[in-house]
């Protein structure tokens, strides 16, 4: 399939759920995309195509980010590291709190998860306010790794995520814009 065909399939398989998780918020459900072998392959192919050369580790955030990040890591021949919510990882951790479109959250990463100097690609399903990606970038930097790029499946153009990442000096690209 061509990249344009992949993007059309991805958009066709993302379901809009209005007023979830709270009134006024539209949730973009990728469950139909993940359930479709062709859709999942299209998403992984397009995300991997956004990666610069020489990626050592792909980092994905809980929960939908690491569903996509693990197969992208395999596609790139790189390792995979999950970023999780508190209480989900054992051992010594770094944590970072951030604001969401509809609340606050904290993410954690193991302090030995990525070697200093490693070239890291961050993968997430959606770029909305930029809070999740910004917090993950802060965690990657605390590990002494090099955040090379961020790739997201979809960017919500009605929210300021891209502007926030630009302010933080984080380069990113998205497969589709909604």
């Amino acid at each position: 399939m061509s990249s344009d065909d992949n993007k059309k399939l991805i958009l066709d398989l993302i379901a809009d759920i209005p007023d979830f998780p709270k009134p006024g918020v539209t949730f973009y459900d990728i469950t139909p995309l993940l359930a479709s072998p062709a859709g999942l392959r299209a998403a992984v192919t397009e995300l991997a195509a956004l990666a610069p050369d020489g990626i050592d580790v792909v980092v994905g955030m809980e929960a939908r980010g690491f569903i996509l990040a693990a197969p992208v890591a395999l596609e790139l021949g790189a390792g995979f590291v999950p970023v999780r919510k508190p209480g989900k990882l054992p051992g010594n951790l770094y944590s970072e709190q951030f604001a969401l479109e509809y609340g606050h959250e904290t993410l954690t990463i193991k302090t030995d998860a990525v070697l200093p100097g490693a070239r890291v690609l961050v993968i997430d399903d959606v770029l909305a306010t930029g809070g999740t990606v910004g917090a993950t970038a802060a965690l990657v930097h605390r590990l002494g790794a090099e955040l090379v790029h961020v790739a997201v499946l979809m960017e919500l153009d009605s929210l300021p995520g891209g502007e926030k990442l630009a302010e933080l000096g984080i380069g990113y690209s998205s497969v589709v814009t909604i």
Side-chain angles (χ1 to χ4, degrees):
M1 267 213 247
S2 73
S3 183
D4 287 341
D5 290 338
N6 280 343
K7 291 175 183 179
K8 181 181 180 332
L9 178 61
I10 289 164
L11 285 169
D12 288 347
L13 291 170
I14 296 172
D16 299 7
I17 311 296
D19 298 321
F20 183 83
K22 71 178 203 174
V25 174
T26 299
F27 182 82
Y28 294 94
D29 185 9
I30 65 169
T31 304
L33 175 75
L34 298 174
S36 164
L40 181 58
R41 169 49 57 200
V44 170
T45 297
E46 294 302 316
L47 284 165
L50 298 175
D53 291 336
I55 297 299
D56 298 313
V57 176
V58 176
V59 170
M61 298 81 98
E62 187 165 340
R64 299 183 310 167
F66 60 65
I67 292 170
L68 295 169
V72 169
L74 285 173
E75 186 82 13
L76 297 176
F80 165 71
V81 171
V83 170
R84 306 283 319 260
K85 293 178 182 173
K88 303 289 185 177
L89 291 172
N92 296 323
L93 306 172
Y94 290 130
S95 65
E96 191 73 28
Q97 188 176 40
F98 62 99
L100 290 168
E101 180 183 0
Y102 46 83
H104 288 81
E105 187 60 77
T106 301
L107 291 176
T108 64
I109 194 168
K110 292 178 65 88
T111 58
D112 61 355
V114 179
L115 295 174
R119 293 175 46 85
V120 174
L121 171 68
V122 170
I123 296 283
D124 205 3
D125 65 318
V126 64
L127 176 60
T129 64
T132 305
V133 172
T136 301
L139 292 170
V140 168
H141 289 130
R142 285 176 72 186
L143 294 168
E146 178 187 357
L147 176 57
V148 177
H149 195 67
V150 172
V152 296
L153 182 64
M154 65 185 128
E155 179 178 0
L156 306 183
D157 66 356
S158 62
L159 294 172
E163 294 168 16
K164 177 169 180 154
L165 296 188
E167 289 171 11
L168 296 172
I170 298 170
Y172 79 96
S173 50
S174 56
V175 174
V176 297
T177 301
I178 296 177

